């Protein structure tokens, strides 16, 4: 007993103090419940020699916090009153956005202590045999029926393509089979868009939009039985062509400020009608639509519904031929010839039966739109971006192997190798993010914050990829014509950046602004319970939040000091370090997020440079998690490790840059010196990751420049013509021949270096090598063939003056027809591969 009390003697006070700090820190790190903290605090007081009355008083105070009914009355009630005067009220539109969808993986990343074992067990979906047959059959035929150059020249997709679209129910992919649709999974839907995007952006968008936010989606979830039975079968077969009018001159990203209105009135026949007026723009397919979906603010000046004058945002489906509807005009979106249009309505009178869901759906349109966007953002544009990225990977890797400068393929130059590696690395990354997200959507999960992240990052990554691709292609990238496979993708890239929520505001307002309340384990419960006056819920959320802050603060410090080593990893091997570093990033993110919310409060909305950086951290944690899931789901293929290392290093590097910006600019009251000084210094010294490792980028470029199974697997799902008349087919065939000839060319260079053969180029060198027996006759044939094909493959389009100012050259469809007909010298020459 004497030895026990000896621990607390003056001689051991330093040891006891250090032990106390360590004990409390460990309790914080593991997130110990408050009753354990209570016991620990009492032990500490006893150890420091506190008197019995002091210990008793402390015990009584601590007991209050351990007994929720008493704590609510004595403490939480007062805290709630104080915060009520500080917290901003949540508007109805904000609440609808916050309550749309559910919290999924983002909740784990927001927690500060993500369960990666759980995240690695999330679904990684596969196509059903029926869905795969559709991709290999109707989708392949649709792609084959389209010549993208001719689509751009004629400003429309061909009738043969429209016939396939309608016959094979491309516009009904999301419509259940019971209503005549295909009833596809989110993955199958995405795969169709991905493949089409690699062939023709106008055709892709034409199919994509009716299967995204629009009449079919709204009817499936909210329509009346009569509405479903009447319209869904007709939409599935293309008998009805839909569009959906949401955006207005004054309501773009701020869609809640819709000015279009509909006034409810009772007609002479005693039935209810709506008189509509609207001015909408950027509405895809409006010009050829037969059913116009419309979002408007419903007003009821006579209070017919008994809900006041402003009923709220409402969605209705209006026949496009209704008097007063104007769909006569078109926009020109970066020259891309899909139907994108304004639409106007002047005193358009329709029955209330046109409201989605009937009168029950009146005023519920905003919630409908938010729910649909929560899923749709994760499918269409990410699929389009992924298809384009895979196409760029294929085209650029082939071109860089075929095109020679200074006597060797340009892909062998380090300056060219660097963007090629980025293209291939981003391609692996974006596919991982797409597939991981679709796993959640196919389980019926609609994670609004995740899908916003995916839409934003997929379109931004594809923008980086196409820019790199154009740099590598050089003059071949800027010369438009049938031989240029990237120009139209480059021209259309800003469209994806702009639609379904402009990327700037998606990043700065939705991902973290909405995520901070929606995905945080306690924030929304606190704000919501304050608004509702629900003390019991507030009490649990507030004190849970306090514990959350303490735990994550301790974790952030410990994981930073140990570079994540204290965090568990669900796997071993070379990827284990990434789970630990993502845990470290999550703890720091959660801690900094709470500091930002606590210090800035409602003004956080206007600090969009700060919220944008938080959004970057959350986004790149999610992307890194997606890549790790892909690596596990695909069997931990060793040959894919360079891509994994690239993707995770890049993700951590982007997270680090965002944290540096937060530390430098957050400046919370009283702590600005700490953030801009010591924390910023420590962050730079103890960075999560630096820039890319040249060894990894070299390995990636070497792999993607090889004629390998891996190159095909990483670009699987795009359309590759089976003929060598079209440019991509020609490139792929030439690429394979050139790769076969590389070993022979190496032997020839070695012979020149050894002075066995005199210096020469091209055919002269091959002739000398054949004559001296350096290469065989078969190898000679391969080298000559490779040079011929190489020359043909690098040609670009050119035009006479008349062609340039009139219609440029035709695409390749006329050559294909000639080849299939077996005739024509031109066709024979083009198809000699």
């Amino acid at each position: 007993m004497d030895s026990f009390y000896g621990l607390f003697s003056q001689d051991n006070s330093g040891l006891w103090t250090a032990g106390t700090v360590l004990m409390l820190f460990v309790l914080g790190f593991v997130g110990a419940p408050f009753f354990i903290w209570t016991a620990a605090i009492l032990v500490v007081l006893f150890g420091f020699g506190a008197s019995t009355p002091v210990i008793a008083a402390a015990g009584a105070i601590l007991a209050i916090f351990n007994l929720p009914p008493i704590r609510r009355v004595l403490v939480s009630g007062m805290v709630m009153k104080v915060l009520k005067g500080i917290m901003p009220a949540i508007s109805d539109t904000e609440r609808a956005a916050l309550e749309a969808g559910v919290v999924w993986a983002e909740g784990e990343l927001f927690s500060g202590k993500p369960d990666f074992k759980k995240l690695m067990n999330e679904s990684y979906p596969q196509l059903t045999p029926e869905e795969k047959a559709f991709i290999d059959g109707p989708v392949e035929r649709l792609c084959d029926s389209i010549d993208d150059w001719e689509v751009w020249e004629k400003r429309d997709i061909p009738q043969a393509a429209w016939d396939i679209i309608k016959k094979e129910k491309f516009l009904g992919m999301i419509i259940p089979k019971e209503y005549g649709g295909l009833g596809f999974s989110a993955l199958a839907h995405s795969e169709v868009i991905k493949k089409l995007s690699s062939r023709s952006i106008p055709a892709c968008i034409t199919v994509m939009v009716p299967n995204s936010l629009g009449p079919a989606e709204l009817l499936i979830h909210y329509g009346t039985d009569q509405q479903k039975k009447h319209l869904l079968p007709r939409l599935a077969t293309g008998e009805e062509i839909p569009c959906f009018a949401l955006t207005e001159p004054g309501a773009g990203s701020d869609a809640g400020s819709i000015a279009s209105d509909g006034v409810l009135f009772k007609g002479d026949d005693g039935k209810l009608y709506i008189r509509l007026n609207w001015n909408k723009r950027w509405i895809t397919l409006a010009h050829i639509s037969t059913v116009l979906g419309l979002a408007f603010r419903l007003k009821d000046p006579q209070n017919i519904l008994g809900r006041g004058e402003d009923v709220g945002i409402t969605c209705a489906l209006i026949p496009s031929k209704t008097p007063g509807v104007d769909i006569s005009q078109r926009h020109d979106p970066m020259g891309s010839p899909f139907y994108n249009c304004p639409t106007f309505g002047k005193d358009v009178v329709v029955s209330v039966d046109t409201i989605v869901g009937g009168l029950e759906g009146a005023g519920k349109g905003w919630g409908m739109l938010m729910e649909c966007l929560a899923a749709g953002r994760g499918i269409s544009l990410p699929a389009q971006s992924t298809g384009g990225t895979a196409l760029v990977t294929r085209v650029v890797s082939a071109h860089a192997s075929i095109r020679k400068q200074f006597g060797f393929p340009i892909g062998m130059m380090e300056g060219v190798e660097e963007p090629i590696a980025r293209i291939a690395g981003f391609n692996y990354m974006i596919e991982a993010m797409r597939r991981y997200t679709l796993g959640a959507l196919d389980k019926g999960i609609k994670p609004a914050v995740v899908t916003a992240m995916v839409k934003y990052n997929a379109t931004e990554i594809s923008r980086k990829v196409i820019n790199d691709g154009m740099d590598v292609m050089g003059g071949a990238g800027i010369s438009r014509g049938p031989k240029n496979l990237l120009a139209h993708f480059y021209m259309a890239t800003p469209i994806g950046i702009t639609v379904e929520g402009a990327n700037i505001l998606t990043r700065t307002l939705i991902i973290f602004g909405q995520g901070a309340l929606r995905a945080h384990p306690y924030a929304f419960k606190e704000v919501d319970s304050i608004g509702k006056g629900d003390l019991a819920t507030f009490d649990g959320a507030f004190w849970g939040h306090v514990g959350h802050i303490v735990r994550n603060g301790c974790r952030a410090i410990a994981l930073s000091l140990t570079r994540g080593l204290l965090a568990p990893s669900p796997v071993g091997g070379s990827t284990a370090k990434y789970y630990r570093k993502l845990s470290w990033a999550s703890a720091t993110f959660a801690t900094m997020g709470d500091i930002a919310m606590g210090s800035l409060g409602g003004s956080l909305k206007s600090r969009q440079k700060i919220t944008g950086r938080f959004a970057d951290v959350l986004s790149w944690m999610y992307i890194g998690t997606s890549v790790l899931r892909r690596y596990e789901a695909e069997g931990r293929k060793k040959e894919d490790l360079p891509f994994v290392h690239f993707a995770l290093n890049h993700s951590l590097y982007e997270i680090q840059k965002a944290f540096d910006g937060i530390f430098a600019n957050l400046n919370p009251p009283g702590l600005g010196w700490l953030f801009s000084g010591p924390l910023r210094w420590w962050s730079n010294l103890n960075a999560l990751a630096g820039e890319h490792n040249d060894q990894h980028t070299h390995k990636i470029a070497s792999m993607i420049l090889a004629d390998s199974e891996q190159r095909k697997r990483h670009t699987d799902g795009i359309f590759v013509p089976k003929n060598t008349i079209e440019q991509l087919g020609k490139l792929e065939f030439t690429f394979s021949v050139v790769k076969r000839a590389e070993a022979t060319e190496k032997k020839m260079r070695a012979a020149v270096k050894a002075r066995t053969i005199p210096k020469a180029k091209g055919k002269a060198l091959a002739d000398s090598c054949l004559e001296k027996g350096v290469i065989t006759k078969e190898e000679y044939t391969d080298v000559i063939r490779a040079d011929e094909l190489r020359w043909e493959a690098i040609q670009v389009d050119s035009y006479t003056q008349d062609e340039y100012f009139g219609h440029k050259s035709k695409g390749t469809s006329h050559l294909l027809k000639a080849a299939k007909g077996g005739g024509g010298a031109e066709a024979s020459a083009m198809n000699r591969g």
Side-chain angles (χ1 to χ4, degrees):
M1 193 68 175
D2 289 339
S3 62
F4 176 73
Y5 282 105
L7 288 173
F8 310 133
S9 68
Q10 188 172 358
D11 292 340
N12 289 318
S13 61
L15 179 62
W16 173 247
T17 300
T20 297
V21 172
L22 179 60
M23 176 185 67
L24 295 178
F25 190 83
V26 170
L27 291 179
F29 183 85
V30 300
F34 194 69
F35 72 87
I36 293 180
W37 278 91
T38 299
I41 291 170
L42 294 177
V43 169
V44 169
L45 289 173
F46 176 75
F48 278 107
S51 64
T52 300
V54 170
I55 293 174
I61 293 171
L62 292 169
I64 293 172
F65 291 91
N66 281 282
L67 299 170
I70 299 174
R71 183 178 65 204
R72 290 172 200 154
V73 175
L74 298 180
V75 184
S76 300
M78 291 188 293
V79 174
M80 186 173 173
K81 287 180 182 177
V82 171
L83 292 179
K84 189 171 185 178
I86 300 173
M87 293 281 192
I90 301 176
S91 68
D92 290 340
T93 53
E94 287 175 320
R95 179 175 294 278
L98 287 169
E99 292 179 347
V102 298
V103 176
W104 179 56
E106 72 276 35
E108 289 292 333
L109 299 173
F110 241 100
S111 73
K113 190 180 179 182
D115 183 348
F116 281 111
K117 186 175 181 180
K118 175 183 174 183
L119 292 173
M120 290 303 106
N121 284 324
E122 289 290 349
S123 173
Y124 201 76
Q126 302 295 327
L127 293 173
T128 66
E130 178 188 4
E131 291 170 339
K132 191 171 188 315
F134 187 83
I135 302 293
D136 295 339
V139 180
E140 186 80 7
R141 291 198 302 275
L142 177 57
C143 289
D144 212 29
S145 71
I146 298 168
D147 182 317
D148 189 56
W149 175 253
E150 291 185 357
V151 169
W152 280 68
E153 287 297 288
K154 294 179 179 178
R155 316 286 294 161
D156 199 1
I157 63 175
Q159 186 59 46
W162 271 113
D163 292 342
I164 295 172
I165 287 170
K166 293 181 177 182
K167 178 184 177 182
E168 302 294 348
K169 302 183 178 180
F170 274 83
L171 304 186
M173 289 190 291
I174 65 170
I175 296 175
K177 290 182 179 180
E178 62 186 287
Y179 294 107
L182 296 175
F184 276 172
S185 64
L187 174 63
H189 175 185
S190 175
E191 289 288 337
V192 172
I193 301 305
K194 177 183 174 181
K195 190 163 188 172
L196 286 176
S197 70
S198 70
R199 180 57 160 174
S200 171
I201 292 295
C204 169
I205 293 174
T206 298
V207 170
M208 179 174 81
V209 171
N211 286 287
S212 186
L213 176 63
E217 179 82 359
L218 292 168
L219 285 174
I220 291 166
H221 296 291
Y222 313 107
T224 64
D225 288 341
Q226 184 178 355
Q227 288 172 335
K228 292 177 182 178
K229 289 176 182 177
H230 174 68
L231 272 176
L232 287 178
R234 299 163 66 86
L235 289 168
T237 58
E239 187 177 350
E240 299 279 5
I241 302 295
C243 70
F244 189 78
L246 174 60
T247 308
E248 301 176 1
S253 294
D254 180 18
S257 61
I258 287 171
S260 299
D261 66 65
V263 178
L264 193 68
F265 68 95
K266 187 173 289 188
D268 294 338
D269 57 3
K271 296 179 180 179
L272 294 180
Y273 295 91
I274 307 169
R275 180 175 288 104
L276 294 158
N277 289 275
W278 70 82
N279 175 2
K280 302 285 187 176
R281 61 182 179 185
W282 303 323
I283 313 307
T284 301
L285 297 183
H287 182 68
I288 58 171
S289 69
T290 61
V291 177
L292 190 149
L294 184 74
F296 62 95
R297 190 169 293 279
L298 180 62
K299 297 177 180 178
D300 183 7
Q302 300 175 36
N303 200 22
I304 297 170
L305 302 181
R307 294 163 54 184
E309 181 175 352
D310 187 2
V311 179
I313 294 174
T314 302
C315 296
L317 303 181
I318 300 160
S320 298
K321 292 184 178 179
T322 304
V325 175
D326 183 351
I327 54 172
S328 61
Q329 299 183 38
R330 293 182 66 172
H331 300 303
D332 186 1
M334 296 301 292
S336 185
F338 66 94
Y339 286 96
N340 187 256
C341 324
T343 173
F344 312 94
K346 177 67 174 175
D347 293 329
V348 178
V349 176
V350 296
S351 165
V352 293
D353 292 338
T354 60
I355 296 174
V356 176
L359 275 178
E360 285 294 314
K364 297 179 181 178
W366 186 243
M368 295 177 183
L369 297 174
M370 291 302 98
E371 282 283 345
C372 291
L373 278 171
R377 279 196 184 112
I379 300 176
S380 298
L381 286 169
Q384 179 185 321
S385 299
T386 306
T389 298
L391 175 67
V392 174
T393 306
R394 272 282 181 111
V395 170
V396 169
S397 59
H399 177 83
S401 299
I402 294 167
R403 172 85 167 151
K404 278 187 174 182
Q405 291 290 278
F406 309 107
F408 54 87
I410 63 172
M412 294 177 65
M413 300 178 183
E414 278 206 355
V416 178
E417 177 184 277
E418 186 176 16
I420 289 174
R422 281 198 301 265
I423 290 169
F426 283 141
N427 177 63
Y428 185 85
M429 184 188 298
I430 196 173
E431 170 63 15
M433 179 173 62
R434 179 188 77 101
R435 186 68 70 100
Y436 191 52
T437 306
L438 292 170
L441 296 174
D442 270 331
K443 291 198 299 185
I445 299 171
K446 296 180 180 180
V449 175
V450 162
T451 54
M453 283 195 291
V454 173
K455 183 270 174 182
Y456 167 75
N457 285 285
T459 52
E460 290 295 339
I461 288 170
S462 71
R463 171 154 60 177
K464 294 174 183 175
V465 166
I466 187 58
N467 283 336
D468 274 336
M470 293 292 280
D471 285 351
V472 175
M473 297 297 291
I478 64 172
S479 303
R480 286 185 65 233
K483 293 183 176 69
N484 190 332
L485 299 170
L486 300 189
H488 292 162
F489 181 37
Y490 179 80
M491 294 167 69
T493 291
I495 299 169
I497 299 295
T498 302
V499 300
E500 287 192 15
N503 276 9
I504 289 175
L505 295 185
T506 298
R507 171 177 175 261
T508 57
L509 288 179
I510 297 177
I511 295 174
F512 183 75
Q514 183 176 331
L517 282 180
R518 192 69 180 93
H520 191 286
Y522 300 106
F524 182 64
K525 293 177 185 176
E526 289 172 306
V527 175
D528 191 46
S529 59
I530 289 172
K532 294 177 179 177
D534 183 350
L535 180 57
T537 300
F538 173 80
D539 174 79
F542 179 79
W543 295 108
H545 196 164
V546 171
H548 177 77
I549 293 170
V550 172
R551 186 198 71 182
N552 286 327
C554 293
R555 283 179 57 80
I557 294 170
L559 295 178
S560 178
L561 290 172
T562 63
R563 295 191 58 77
L565 287 177
L566 293 179
S569 169
V571 303
S574 60
T575 59
K577 62 183 177 183
Y578 297 125
Y579 293 94
R580 297 189 176 104
K581 285 191 174 184
L582 287 173
S583 290
W584 168 15
S586 176
T588 306
F589 170 77
T591 302
M592 297 303 299
D594 277 320
I595 291 172
M597 287 188 284
S599 61
L600 297 177
S603 67
L604 186 61
K605 283 183 182 179
S606 62
R607 295 291 301 276
Q608 291 167 19
K609 294 176 185 177
I610 292 293
T611 58
R613 294 183 180 107
F614 275 111
D616 292 341
V617 177
L618 183 58
S619 290
W620 287 105
M621 285 195 295
Y622 180 75
I623 293 170
T625 301
S626 301
V627 170
L628 290 170
R629 179 66 184 104
R630 178 181 182 180
Y631 180 62
E632 294 298 320
E634 294 183 352
R636 298 173 66 87
K637 290 182 171 64
K638 188 175 180 180
E639 65 268 26
D640 284 350
L641 270 176
F643 295 87
V644 176
H645 290 314
F646 170 91
L648 266 298
N649 186 87
H650 186 84
S651 297
L652 292 167
Y653 180 59
E654 292 291 341
I655 291 169
Q656 181 64 44
K657 288 196 299 183
F659 276 141
D660 289 342
I662 292 169
F663 292 144
N665 295 283
L666 183 55
N667 296 322
L671 293 175
W673 64 272
L674 176 64
F675 280 67
S676 60
L679 274 181
R680 193 177 179 188
W681 172 82
W682 174 250
S683 177
N684 290 330
L685 182 67
N686 190 43
L688 282 160
E691 292 193 72
H692 300 305
N693 184 304
D694 287 349
Q695 291 182 343
H696 291 155
T697 54
H698 174 70
K699 288 179 182 177
I700 289 173
S702 298
M703 289 176 177
I704 215 67
L705 290 169
D707 189 12
S708 63
E709 176 274 336
Q710 191 177 27
R711 176 176 178 267
K712 294 183 177 69
R713 177 165 54 85
H714 283 204
T715 56
D716 187 39
I718 66 171
F719 177 75
V720 180
K722 294 181 174 62
N723 64 79
T724 56
I725 293 175
E726 296 180 75
Q727 183 67 6
L728 183 55
K730 184 188 302 180
L731 271 179
E732 283 295 297
F733 179 72
T734 303
F735 174 76
S736 64
V737 172
V738 165
K739 286 299 174 181
R740 281 203 310 272
E742 279 185 351
T744 303
E745 291 176 338
K746 187 175 181 180
K747 286 168 64 175
M748 293 163 59
R749 288 195 300 270
V752 172
K753 188 175 182 180
R755 299 185 178 180
T756 306
I757 300 296
K759 283 187 178 181
K761 291 183 179 180
K763 188 174 183 300
L765 176 59
D767 288 342
S768 296
C769 287
L770 178 64
E771 183 181 342
K772 294 290 186 178
V774 174
I775 60 175
T776 66
K777 180 66 176 175
E778 184 179 355
E779 288 173 328
Y780 173 84
T781 302
D782 283 345
V783 168
I784 297 299
R785 180 68 169 139
D787 280 345
E788 290 175 350
L789 289 171
R790 191 194 307 270
W791 177 253
E792 186 178 304
I794 64 172
Q795 301 307 308
V796 298
D797 296 286
S798 59
Y799 312 97
T800 66
Q801 188 78 339
D802 288 341
E803 286 174 336
Y804 185 80
F805 284 103
H807 290 290
K808 296 185 178 70
S809 65
K810 297 177 182 178
T812 53
S813 60
H814 69 294
L815 297 176
L816 283 169
K817 289 175 184 176
K820 289 174 182 177
E826 185 180 23
S828 298
M830 293 290 286
N831 202 29
R832 66 179 179 272

